[in-house]
Amino acid sequence: MKKFKKFYIEITSICNLSCSFCPPTKRQANFIKVDAFTNTLDQIKGHAEYIYFHVKGEPMLHPKIDELLDISHQKGFKVNLTSNGTLLHKAKSKILGKPALRQINFSLHSFDGHEGSVDKEGYVTSVLDFAKEAVATSDILISLRLWNLTQDNTTNLENDRNREILEKIEKAFDLDYKIEEHFVRGKGIKIADRIYLNHEEEFVWPDLKEKEDESKGFCHALRNQAGVLVDGTVIPCCLDGEGVINLGNINKTPFSEIIEGERATKLYDGFSRREVVEELCRKCGYRQRFNN
């Protein structure tokens, strides 16, 4: 049985923001139904222990996120959330204290990435207050993400949009140093017990319109990770936000059969030979990180 370190379940394709770094999905707006979610967990049982409520969409928009977390716990899964954090005032009571919840990643760069964002201080304060409360009342991990560095910004975080946020973090946690002083590219900084700051280059989603590379290399797709979109489409990794590499539908075909199917096998075996068989993978800049 193939096992994955990460399994992504998109519980909604809907987001309340429209960020410059995240192209809007062309798929139908949808929320996963409780029975479909339960069926998905039953099918991936044994294939994964850690599930991620994320591909596209904002998970805290899901009206039954509390129920999905409870079901995850009942079936023995640990859950990671990736959120922009703007809906904590509505979702906090539904997620805080849920035993299935292992980690929340807050994309703080979404504030500047969304043109209509207002009240940065209130937004950051809300996220940081939640982080403090969450770690004080549970074993949860918190990752504060600033994924908006440019390629030439390789040594520091000193730009206006980040310094303002960093100052708020430093003040909230009484840090006696500037975060930039501890910046090591590709590594997180421990801000407090179970609270970390992670910073990376601005993420670029792979797109069929992009230029194709030399078709050689490796990726962890279908090795370390797999996922399923809100409509049941199984994808090889979390970067296939439009389901271009459609391996099958979990609501029609058992997951165990889908990942052993012809298309999945060709992709997996191709990467074993360091050959990139899927067009979308040949246009994925993130894959290049594994080829150095």
Side-chain angles (χ1 to χ4, degrees), residues 85-86 111-112 114-127 164-165 168:
T86 59
F111 185 91
D112 290 307
H114 178 67
E115 189 174 336
S117 294
V118 294
D119 188 18
K120 179 182 278 190
E121 181 171 0
Y123 163 67
V124 176
T125 298
S126 173
V127 172
E164 190 176 351
I165 292 177
K168 296 183 188 307

Side-chain angles (χ1 to χ4, degrees), residues 8-283:
Y8 294 86
I9 302 177
E10 183 186 67
I11 64 172
T12 180
S13 57
I14 306 168
C15 189
N16 62 316
L17 300 184
S18 179
C19 296
S20 58
F21 55 82
C22 187
T25 180
K26 299 174 184 176
R27 296 179 285 117
Q28 181 179 356
N30 206 352
F31 291 102
I32 197 169
K33 304 293 190 295
V34 171
D35 57 348
F37 178 78
T38 302
N39 174 55
T40 296
L41 294 192
D42 288 340
Q43 290 199 44
I44 67 171
K45 187 75 173 178
H47 291 285
E49 296 179 16
Y50 297 98
I51 55 177
Y52 292 66
F53 287 0
H54 182 61
V55 177
K56 288 289 188 75
E58 168 52 54
M60 291 190 189
L61 270 174
H62 200 293
K64 295 186 177 180
I65 189 172
D66 49 349
E67 192 171 343
L68 302 186
L69 287 169
D70 288 339
I71 294 170
S72 300
H73 177 63
Q74 292 164 11
K75 294 187 176 293
F77 291 93
K78 287 294 186 180
V79 177
N80 287 20
L81 289 183
T82 297
S83 170
N84 57 47
T86 59
L87 300 176
L88 279 172
H89 60 292
K90 293 183 177 180
K92 175 182 172 181
S93 62
K94 293 184 176 183
I95 64 176
L96 197 60
K98 291 296 185 183
L101 195 53
R102 173 185 174 271
Q103 179 171 324
I104 303 182
N105 307 310
F106 287 109
S107 301
L108 297 182
H109 49 281
S110 62
F111 185 91
D112 290 307
H114 178 67
E115 189 174 336
S117 294
V118 294
D119 188 18
K120 179 182 278 190
E121 181 171 0
Y123 163 67
V124 176
T125 298
S126 173
V127 172
L128 299 184
D129 286 348
F130 174 87
K132 288 182 177 181
E133 184 176 355
V135 298
T137 56
S138 70
D139 295 326
I140 198 171
L141 298 168
I142 300 290
S143 171
L144 307 172
R145 291 179 171 180
L146 280 174
W147 287 8
N148 58 7
L149 299 183
T150 56
Q151 287 189 337
D152 59 353
N153 190 3
T154 57
T155 59
N156 61 67
L157 289 165
E158 288 182 353
N159 56 59
D160 291 339
R161 59 184 178 179
N162 284 342
R163 179 89 290 270
E164 190 176 351
I165 292 177
L166 297 179
E167 285 178 354
K168 296 183 188 307
I169 294 173
E170 291 161 359
K171 183 177 180 180
F173 292 96
D174 296 322
L175 302 185
D176 58 0
Y177 59 87
K178 278 195 170 186
I179 290 173
E180 292 94 327
E181 297 170 359
H182 292 248
F183 172 52
V184 177
R185 191 168 196 80
K187 291 188 178 181
I189 296 174
K190 185 174 183 179
I191 299 299
D193 182 36
R194 287 177 282 120
I195 300 178
Y196 299 84
L197 173 69
N198 292 281
H199 34 270
E200 264 297 348
E201 288 179 20
E202 183 171 312
F203 178 75
V204 180
W205 288 85
D207 193 303
L208 291 176
K209 297 177 183 178
E210 296 298 317
K211 185 179 179 181
E212 200 164 295
D213 63 22
E214 75 283 0
S215 303
K216 298 291 183 182
F218 178 78
C219 180
H220 293 288
L222 290 183
R223 277 180 165 76
N224 287 355
Q225 63 168 292
V228 59
L229 300 179
V230 69
D231 66 352
T233 299
V234 176
I235 53 177
C237 76
C238 63
L239 307 186
D240 186 4
E242 292 300 289
V244 173
I245 308 175
N246 183 342
L247 301 177
N249 194 292
I250 204 169
N251 298 321
K252 300 175 182 177
T253 307
F255 177 73
S256 57
E257 291 183 18
I258 291 174
I259 58 170
E260 298 295 345
E262 181 179 2
R263 190 170 189 179
T265 299
K266 285 182 177 179
L267 183 148
Y268 184 97
D269 290 346
F271 283 132
S272 296
R273 301 187 303 268
R274 302 190 73 81
E275 294 179 5
V276 187
V277 300
E278 289 284 349
E279 181 183 1
L280 186 69
C281 299
R282 295 194 294 269
K283 298 178 176 181

